[in-house]
Amino acid sequence: MAGATALVRPEVLDLAPYNSGLTLAEVSNRYAPARIAKLGSNESPLGPGPRAIAAAGGAVGNFRLYPDPASLRLRAALGARFGVPGGRVMVGKGSEELLSIVSRAVVRPGDRVVTLYPSFPLHEDYAALMGAAVDRVEVRADLTVDVDELVAAASRPCRMVIFSNPMSCTPTSCRTSAGPHWPRFGALSADHLEHASEEGVAAMAAAGTVAVLLPGAYYFLREARRPPVDALRRHGARIAVATDCNPGTSPLASILAAANMAATLFRLTVEECLAGVTREAARALGLLHETGTLEPGKWCDLAIWDVERPAEMVCRIGPNPLHSRVWRGTHEAAR
């Protein structure tokens, strides 16, 4: 055994075993609960939908074959869905595998990698496996992030800055309240703005950074402080609205419901809501040059609504008044 250990790289031997938490069987044996909902790893307690189950069942006959290693069909479909060339789409088994691939591709022995601590431990492991030095920026005792310290660390020569936001191990997110740092680095958008300062809002507006409001997360997390909409208007910042759909902090899948909540919770006007889910949403993604508005030379992407006034799309909760849509110039009936 000692001889086998000598073959292993020192960087691997120095890694601590990854703690993935208790399995469902371990939880059941230890606590015998009536029902288990495992949410610690962003796992949905709802399970896959019936269409996903049916698709997986239909593919069983091909399990004996290796899948397409280039995922050409999937990348083409994702590219068509989001309006980017399929060659620019990278797929993998979750974001962590993609981060691992990027780390192996760009990080060299002796490089410096900056991360927050405590955070997702694999982020440090990726750097350590490549022989890089990990520079930790520790969160404060109250679990907030010292953004000035993080920016200072990232401003010194380093190969990569990597951290989760919000972090999966602590209820911590890196917000713009500490100052106008992210606009300085050319950020297209910024979200979770409940604690954004006047200075930060002014910097965002000056840099053209889009403020993305997430009413679903605000509601689900029971936030007590609303994003500074008045300040955003005062400084002329662009405002987008999104669902932030995820099982952990915002299980909201309806963009119309997000618009309604932005109007009722954040006091956005109908015009701001509709612009926020179209033009400004495209701007936040860096896609305004090709979609988000109806102009010559852009994709012909539009929805045809069965309403008398645009306000009905923001006012109603539940109904989907979509009559049909035009996607990439092709008319499709509503499902």
Side-chain angles (χ1 to χ4, degrees):
M1 196 67 182
T5 302
L7 299 175
V8 181
R9 292 168 51 207
E11 296 90 349
V12 177
L13 294 175
D14 289 340
L15 294 178
Y18 177 65
N19 179 10
S20 60
L22 298 177
T23 65
L24 294 179
E26 290 170 331
V27 172
S28 181
N29 292 335
R30 182 176 299 186
Y31 302 106
R35 184 170 180 266
I36 301 173
K38 188 178 180 184
L39 303 177
S41 301
N42 281 339
E43 297 176 2
S44 171
L46 303 178
R51 293 175 61 190
I53 294 174
V60 169
N62 292 324
F63 281 5
R64 59 187 174 84
L65 303 174
Y66 282 112
D68 173 16
S71 303
L72 292 178
R73 290 182 59 193
L74 176 59
R75 290 164 60 199
L78 289 172
R81 174 65 179 84
F82 294 103
V84 298
R88 291 173 55 188
V89 177
M90 185 177 180
V91 299
K93 297 187 290 291
S95 60
E96 291 304 322
E97 184 190 43
L98 298 181
L99 290 173
S100 173
I101 292 172
V102 171
S103 298
R104 294 198 301 270
V106 304
V107 177
R108 302 172 176 84
D111 281 343
R112 177 172 166 270
V113 174
V114 176
T115 188
L116 293 176
Y117 180 84
S119 185
F120 202 56
L122 286 179
H123 295 169
E124 294 193 14
D125 292 349
Y126 299 151
L129 280 171
M130 301 310 300
V134 177
D135 189 353
R136 291 177 171 177
V137 176
E138 297 194 12
V139 301
R140 300 186 182 100
D142 62 357
L143 300 181
T144 60
V145 176
D146 188 332
V147 180
D148 290 319
E149 184 180 355
L150 176 60
V151 171
S155 298
R156 297 190 295 272
C158 65
R159 178 63 61 176
M160 185 164 62
V161 179
I162 180 172
F163 60 92
S164 302
N165 189 43
M167 290 193 286
S168 59
C169 305
T170 66
T172 301
S173 63
C174 193
R175 302 179 175 182
T176 58
S177 58
H181 297 295
W182 307 127
R184 196 177 77 203
F185 288 106
L188 289 174
S189 65
D191 51 34
H192 295 287
L193 299 173
E194 285 77 10
H195 296 269
S197 65
E198 188 85 17
E199 181 188 14
V201 169
M204 288 173 55
T209 301
V210 179
V212 183
L213 304 187
L214 308 174
Y218 172 89
Y219 169 81
F220 194 73
L221 296 176
R222 299 182 181 180
E223 282 277 5
R225 182 169 176 172
R226 293 186 298 186
V229 172
D230 289 340
L232 293 170
R233 290 170 176 153
R234 189 163 54 250
H235 290 282
R238 302 286 186 169
I239 301 175
V241 176
T243 64
D244 193 31
C245 182
N246 73 85
T249 60
S250 183
L252 175 64
S254 169
I255 193 63
L256 294 182
N260 174 277
M261 295 171 75
T264 55
L265 299 177
F266 300 156
R267 304 296 190 266
L268 261 63
T269 65
V270 170
E271 290 77 9
E272 287 172 330
C273 290
L274 295 180
V277 299
T278 53
R279 182 187 65 220
E280 302 309 327
R283 193 190 307 274
L285 295 172
L287 298 176
L288 186 58
H289 63 286
E290 59 186 49
T291 191
T293 59
L294 297 178
E295 300 178 52
K298 290 189 176 184
W299 283 109
C300 185
D301 299 337
L302 60 95
I304 302 173
W305 302 96
D306 186 13
V307 297
E308 294 185 3
R309 298 179 301 277
E312 294 178 43
M313 291 186 289
V314 178
C315 176
R316 296 176 178 176
I317 302 177
N320 180 6
L322 180 65
H323 172 72
S324 59
R325 70 172 189 168
V326 178
W327 176 250
R328 297 298 186 257
T330 302
H331 185 263
E332 302 176 354
R335 298 175 180 176

